[in-house]
Amino acid sequence: MRIPLKITFLLLLMLLLKGQVCLAAEVILVVHKDNRLSGITRRAAELIFLSRKTEWTQGEHIHVVVNDDPEVYDTFCRDILHKTPLQYLIYRKKMLFTGSGIPPLTMNNDAEVKAFIAATNDSIGFMRRDSLDSRVKELVVQ
Amino acid sequence: MQIILLALAALIQPETLPALDLPDRVQLHGFASQGYLNSSGNNFLSDSIGGTFAFNEIGVNLNGLINNNFRYGGQLLSKKMGDYGDNDIRLDWGLVDYRVHDWGGARLGKVKIPVGLYNTERDSDFLRPMIFLPQSIYDETRRDTWQAHWGGEAYGNVEIPAFGNFDYKLFYGRIKYDEDSVFHDSTLTNINKRLADNQQAANPDPTLPPRIDDCDRDNEYLYGASLIYSPQVENLRLGVSWASQKDTSYGDSARIGGYKTNSNFVLSLEYSWRDFSLSAEYGENDRTQTLYDITTFDGPNQSWYVMLSYAATSRLSFTALYDEYWKDKHNKDDSVHASGRYNPSPWRKDWACGVRYDVNERWTVKGEWHTVDGTALLLDFFNPDGTERYWQYGAVKVSFNF
């Protein structure tokens, strides 16, 4: 039985689009609980996650961690970086493969990010608001 | 061999092959790509009429942190393009990097040349929307020689809240020319055509040899600067880069001439809005070439392109490109090629479209088609029987990275 070309095309398109629709999570920036900052501009956050700003105002090195949970990552890229997830992924790979730097650490989910932030002074990451607890501190994007 | 490696990689699910993060601060990453190139009308970069699978790259890199300010890294690259490269392993880049503060640092070693927005990323196929970068500015036949230099660069990033962000680089070093390169062999062919013309002239210069068996080029210096400005407008980057170089040419070990890039500048723009990305660059390369006391070329070329990409989904994107090159900015009519061959169409106008599909974070599949008017940048070395003004080429490529 021959499958009409249009149906084949639509099936292919559905396959390509499969898994692209996701619900937006409420994503917040988090820092070590001893961090004296309570807020940050979106621009400054963008520069930190693009590795262009690597020092807090007091001069301490910023330890950045990227949350690879697809839903959280997608929301963070679009809301904070104003980039597509693929653009930010390629940006980080460019650092590695062109010799211009080492990209931020990547962790799989909120729990890992939270554990890293709680254990590392001067660190910053992002996760779902629902995952926030007293081990880390929210950094409000102003 | 390349296909076998890709097949092996295909058997491994991404989850089971993370980038190898060695203890603490060392990371090992890599990539492999296999392409297929086909053309009609003219051979492009290889004997591409009829198609060729001799189009691949394999790279492995190691990056390490000594402390928060001091790091090292290097990348080995093996590639094949037609009869060139032969998958020999070479150092693509290798450096030590000391960052004093965000506003200043220095890199020493074999460092990528930051001309235009994308020259530093040419070896990694999965970093760009199309398989080939716009040829007017990123001429693939010069990739081996215009990719990295031995020397150093000072760099930094300065944020001025009222204006935006400035990324600067100042570089100085030397290029090392490989004998196994398209550039080397096409230069040898061109020199011998010049010498053959001399032999057939009514009054040949008796001091010139009938031909040479080998040629070489020694770079005396390369220096330049790059500035990328990101204003407060989101996802907008404006860039300007400039470079100058001077080479001495040798034929059978005797000095026969020189090549000087007096001024090579590129103006760049990149803007992303929602799922659209726009890139446009304009450049001029003012160069002077002499062979056996004759100036074979003196003046600027002219290059520009506009490229628009649309991300239909997080994995699927489409790109359209218009790319234009003029061999001589001030003479857009017919001209004489460096080899002495008459070229009735010394321009290159390339319309192209491409598609990229990211299967996952590690696998990328791309395809594209180009239709071209003009024969500038084509090497008669690959087209000994002459060239056709209107021609096409297309490619597909699969890339894997970890």
Side-chain angles (χ1 to χ4, degrees):
Chain A
M1 184 180 73
R2 282 189 67 191
I3 302 172
L5 191 63
K6 283 183 181 174
I7 293 178
T8 308
F9 177 75
L10 282 173
L11 285 171
L12 279 172
L13 198 62
M14 285 172 66
L15 275 174
L16 293 173
L17 296 174
K18 187 184 169 200
Q20 304 306 316
V21 179
C22 59
L23 299 173
E26 188 182 0
V27 171
I28 57 171
L29 297 183
V30 286
V31 292
H32 190 270
K33 61 184 180 183
D34 292 341
N35 196 313
R36 279 169 286 183
L37 287 177
S38 58
I40 189 173
T41 64
R42 191 205 65 80
R43 175 79 173 185
E46 179 186 2
L47 292 173
I48 288 171
F49 282 92
L50 296 180
S51 299
R52 291 184 187 166
K53 177 177 171 59
T54 63
E55 296 163 357
W56 295 111
T57 48
Q58 303 297 320
E60 305 93 342
H61 184 80
I62 305 174
H63 298 279
V64 182
V65 60
V66 171
N67 189 337
D68 216 20
D69 179 310
E71 186 184 359
V72 177
Y73 177 75
D74 188 284
T75 305
F76 169 79
C77 290
R78 295 182 189 282
D79 290 354
I80 303 295
L81 302 183
H82 293 181
K83 293 183 183 302
T84 66
L86 182 61
Q87 284 171 339
Y88 186 43
L89 176 68
I90 290 175
Y91 181 90
R92 288 182 286 142
K93 286 186 177 179
K94 278 180 186 174
M95 294 177 68
L96 270 178
F97 289 99
T98 64
S100 64
I102 299 181
L105 285 171
T106 301
M107 305 225 161
N108 292 321
N109 50 47
D110 288 358
E112 289 186 12
V113 169
K114 198 160 44 177
F116 176 83
I117 302 278
T120 313
N121 286 332
D122 306 315
S123 56
I124 185 171
F126 56 90
M127 62 186 198
R128 290 180 182 83
R129 175 175 292 284
D130 295 347
S131 301
L132 182 65
D133 62 28
S134 59
R135 287 187 292 162
V136 295
K137 173 180 165 184
E138 180 183 359
L139 192 62
V140 178
V141 179
Q142 298 159 338
Chain B
M1 183 65 183
Q2 179 80 1
I3 292 171
I4 294 170
L5 284 173
L6 278 171
L8 281 173
L11 296 173
I12 303 169
Q13 292 303 306
E15 293 75 16
T16 64
L17 188 67
L20 186 56
D21 292 326
L22 301 173
D24 291 322
R25 299 178 162 208
V26 181
Q27 294 186 34
L28 183 69
H29 295 267
F31 60 89
S33 66
Q34 174 63 54
Y36 172 76
L37 174 66
N38 201 330
S39 68
S40 64
N42 297 312
N43 280 313
F44 176 57
L45 301 173
S46 63
D47 294 329
S48 56
I49 293 177
T52 177
F53 281 99
F55 182 21
N56 66 51
E57 288 131 352
I58 303 172
V60 177
N61 76 45
L62 183 78
N63 283 286
L65 278 174
I66 295 169
N67 59 42
N68 289 331
N69 299 92
F70 197 20
R71 71 179 180 90
Y72 59 88
Q75 179 162 288
L76 297 175
L77 180 71
S78 161
K79 66 186 174 74
K80 187 172 180 64
M81 180 73 254
D83 292 332
Y84 291 90
D86 203 24
N87 287 124
D88 292 337
I89 297 171
R90 297 174 188 177
L91 180 68
D92 189 28
W93 55 265
L95 53 83
V96 290
D97 179 345
Y98 187 74
R99 184 201 294 241
V100 183
H101 287 291
D102 289 336
W103 51 260
R107 297 180 181 125
L108 291 174
K110 189 173 187 185
V111 184
K112 297 267 185 169
I113 301 171
V115 171
L117 288 176
Y118 309 116
N119 195 53
T120 58
E121 61 198 61
R122 289 175 79 162
D123 289 326
S124 306
D125 177 76
F126 51 94
L127 297 180
R128 53 182 179 267
M130 297 183 78
I131 297 167
F132 291 105
L133 283 165
Q135 293 294 289
S136 65
I137 288 178
Y138 305 101
D139 178 4
E140 196 68 17
T141 64
R142 301 289 176 117
R143 173 173 155 185
D144 290 330
T145 60
W146 196 244
Q147 173 77 4
H149 68 89
W150 285 92
E153 69 178 15
Y155 70 94
N157 184 272
V158 179
E159 171 77 1
I160 302 176
F163 294 96
N165 189 269
F166 297 84
D167 247 322
Y168 73 87
K169 287 176 182 166
L170 303 167
F171 59 94
Y172 182 90
R174 294 179 71 179
I175 300 167
K176 289 193 175 175
Y177 293 107
D178 272 330
E179 287 195 4
D180 177 23
S181 69
V182 174
F183 180 66
H184 173 273
D185 287 2
S186 65
T187 302
L188 182 62
T189 303
N190 291 342
I191 293 170
N192 277 327
K193 281 190 175 178
R194 283 275 174 192
L195 293 172
D197 288 346
N198 178 62
Q199 295 291 309
Q200 291 165 5
N203 297 303
D205 182 343
T207 64
L208 300 186
R211 61 173 284 111
I212 58 171
D213 295 320
D214 194 18
C215 68
D216 196 6
R217 201 181 251 210
D218 182 27
N219 178 239
E220 292 182 30
Y221 62 77
L222 166 77
Y223 59 83
S226 154
L227 179 68
I228 294 176
Y229 169 49
S230 304
Q232 298 290 359
V233 179
E234 284 168 12
N235 292 318
L236 173 64
R237 291 201 300 162
L238 302 170
V240 57
S241 53
W242 177 87
S244 178
Q245 72 172 105
K246 185 180 180 187
D247 299 342
T248 303
S249 303
Y250 297 91
D252 291 341
S253 301
R255 188 184 185 284
I256 59 172
Y259 180 93
K260 188 176 180 202
T261 298
N262 305 305
S263 169
N264 180 359
F265 76 84
V266 178
L267 306 174
S268 310
L269 178 152
E270 184 186 77
Y271 179 58
S272 298
W273 178 73
R274 296 188 178 176
D275 294 316
F276 290 91
S277 294
L278 175 74
S279 300
E281 295 193 291
Y282 174 89
E284 292 182 12
N285 184 359
D286 181 7
R287 69 276 197 224
T288 306
Q289 178 173 275
T290 56
L291 278 177
Y292 298 108
D293 297 328
I294 295 173
T295 300
T296 55
F297 199 90
D298 186 12
N301 66 19
Q302 187 177 46
S303 317
W304 66 274
Y305 74 85
V306 179
M307 183 164 66
L308 180 67
S309 294
Y310 170 64
T313 72
S314 62
R315 296 179 178 180
L316 178 69
S317 62
F318 300 94
T319 301
L321 166 74
Y322 178 69
D323 182 25
E324 190 169 304
Y325 173 87
W326 295 90
K327 181 189 170 189
D328 186 344
K329 178 188 175 187
H330 301 303
N331 177 14
K332 296 191 172 179
D333 299 321
D334 52 2
S335 69
V336 176
H337 187 263
S339 63
R341 175 175 56 84
Y342 171 69
N343 186 349
S345 57
W347 59 81
R348 188 185 197 279
K349 301 174 184 177
D350 183 342
W351 287 94
C353 58
V355 58
R356 168 181 173 139
Y357 183 65
D358 289 88
V359 181
N360 52 44
E361 287 193 3
R362 308 200 187 281
W363 284 94
T364 302
V365 183
K366 294 196 281 190
E368 65 195 50
W369 185 252
H370 298 248
T371 181
V372 187
D373 168 13
T375 58
L377 296 176
L378 274 178
L379 299 176
D380 57 345
F381 168 69
F382 285 125
N383 298 280
D385 299 326
T387 51
E388 294 182 16
R389 173 175 169 178
Y390 298 101
W391 58 288
Q392 291 85 36
Y393 67 101
V396 292
K397 206 169 190 184
V398 179
S399 300
F400 171 78
N401 72 88
F402 68 92

